[in-house]
Amino acid sequence: MRILLKTVTFLALPVVLLAVWWFASAGSVDFYQPPLSKILGVFPETWFGDRMVDDVLPSLARLAIGFALSLVVGVGLGVLIGTNRTLSAVTEPVLEFLRAIPPPALVPVFILIAGIDNLMKVLVILSGCVWPVLLNTVAGVRAADDVLADTCRVYRVTGGLRLRHFLLRSASPQIMAGARQALSIGLILMVISELKAASQGVGFTVRQFQTGFQIPEMWSGVLLLGMIGVVLSVLFRLVERQVLGWYEGLRAASHDEVRT
């Protein structure tokens, strides 16, 4: 019953919004704003055929690679910067400069460097996703408990053990918060990277529909992107629950102590 209640709560608002859209657009004769019934009617034949393999799956693969690289780079650099004040002071001006550059503005640069193949698109995704992970990792590492740090020092817990069981564990709530932000940014940049100099992908296909005045198909692509975002959010929440199970248990125990 608890799972059923959560499912109903999760789906209630989207269902209501779709119902409102359905009835509000039912009588629409505007070419650029077709009724939802027409959009849903073209959805299966548009996306459940060859385009699923030729466009959707390659886009998701590039998103996965760019997101994974952002985690590796962001966490790695974040730990180094967060544990070394000198390195932080030296790199801060450069990092602030790079962070201020919007990733879409880098698309022409990446095209010159990497061409128009998958590497360019992955670099665009990486250039935007890495910052939330990096900054949250730095903040999480610096906020590590001083008592636990002294305990590790006394018991000579150093190297990989200290990194894995102390630093990364302490910073993991903020790392996961940065990863959640990075995932939504990555989905946006996935589409942006496919709008220019591309021959496949969801963003490319949606743009082709727009320039070809296939408006219902274009709207179906927008719906598909929204559905992908919801699915990725649910999957991330499941992973987050596994990674931060210890943290949620600790918070629950703390709340119980406060109540008693």
Side-chain angles (χ1 to χ4, degrees):
M1 287 299 296
R2 186 177 179 181
I3 295 176
L4 179 61
L5 180 61
K6 286 185 176 181
T7 303
V8 172
T9 303
F10 181 77
L11 296 176
L13 183 58
V15 170
V16 170
L17 292 177
L18 284 175
V20 171
W21 187 2
W22 178 284
F23 290 108
S25 64
S28 175
V29 293
D30 190 329
F31 179 76
Y32 297 104
Q33 300 179 24
L36 180 59
S37 58
K38 190 173 183 179
I39 297 172
L40 295 179
V42 302
F43 190 96
E45 62 182 285
T46 302
W47 297 108
F48 291 160
D50 293 337
R51 286 194 181 92
M52 179 62 68
V53 176
D54 297 337
D55 295 306
V56 179
L57 294 182
S59 291
L60 293 178
R62 290 189 286 266
L63 173 61
I65 295 172
F67 180 70
L69 288 175
S70 72
L71 291 179
V72 174
V73 175
V75 173
L77 289 178
V79 170
L80 290 175
I81 295 172
T83 55
N84 192 316
R85 296 287 181 178
T86 303
L87 180 61
S88 175
V90 171
T91 58
E92 183 176 2
V94 176
L95 293 178
E96 290 297 330
F97 173 80
L98 294 175
R99 188 167 69 95
I101 301 175
L106 295 174
V107 173
V109 177
F110 288 141
I111 290 176
L112 292 176
I113 296 174
I116 61 174
D117 293 331
N118 291 329
L119 178 58
M120 180 273 290
K121 300 173 181 62
V122 170
L123 289 176
V124 172
I125 296 171
L126 172 61
S127 68
C129 291
V130 70
W131 298 112
V133 180
L134 173 61
L135 296 176
N136 278 275
T137 302
V138 172
V141 169
R142 288 178 176 173
D145 191 280
D146 292 334
V147 175
L148 292 178
D150 292 337
T151 303
C152 289
R153 191 177 302 109
V154 169
Y155 285 97
R156 297 182 180 178
V157 179
T158 58
L161 286 177
R162 185 175 186 272
L163 173 64
R164 178 182 176 186
H165 294 288
F166 172 55
L167 287 178
L168 291 181
R169 182 65 66 90
S170 298
S172 58
Q174 287 180 270
I175 292 175
M176 295 303 292
R180 177 183 288 275
Q181 297 174 10
L183 186 60
S184 59
I185 293 173
L187 183 59
I188 296 171
L189 293 177
M190 178 194 80
V191 176
I192 291 175
S193 68
E194 296 169 349
L195 292 178
K196 295 182 179 180
S199 58
Q200 64 170 192
V202 179
F204 167 78
T205 304
V206 170
R207 185 171 181 273
Q208 289 294 104
F209 288 148
Q210 183 261 327
T211 56
F213 294 98
Q214 296 173 272
I215 305 303
E217 288 79 3
M218 180 197 74
W219 279 105
S220 72
V222 175
L223 280 180
L224 175 66
L225 290 170
M227 293 169 60
I228 290 174
V230 172
V231 172
L232 291 178
S233 176
V234 172
L235 293 176
F236 185 88
R237 189 173 299 177
L238 294 176
V239 173
E240 185 180 42
R241 187 173 299 172
Q242 293 296 319
V243 174
L244 298 181
W246 66 272
Y247 179 69
E248 296 298 331
L250 183 62
R251 290 182 60 188
S254 299
H255 290 163
D256 291 340
E257 289 181 3
V258 171
R259 290 174 182 175
T260 56

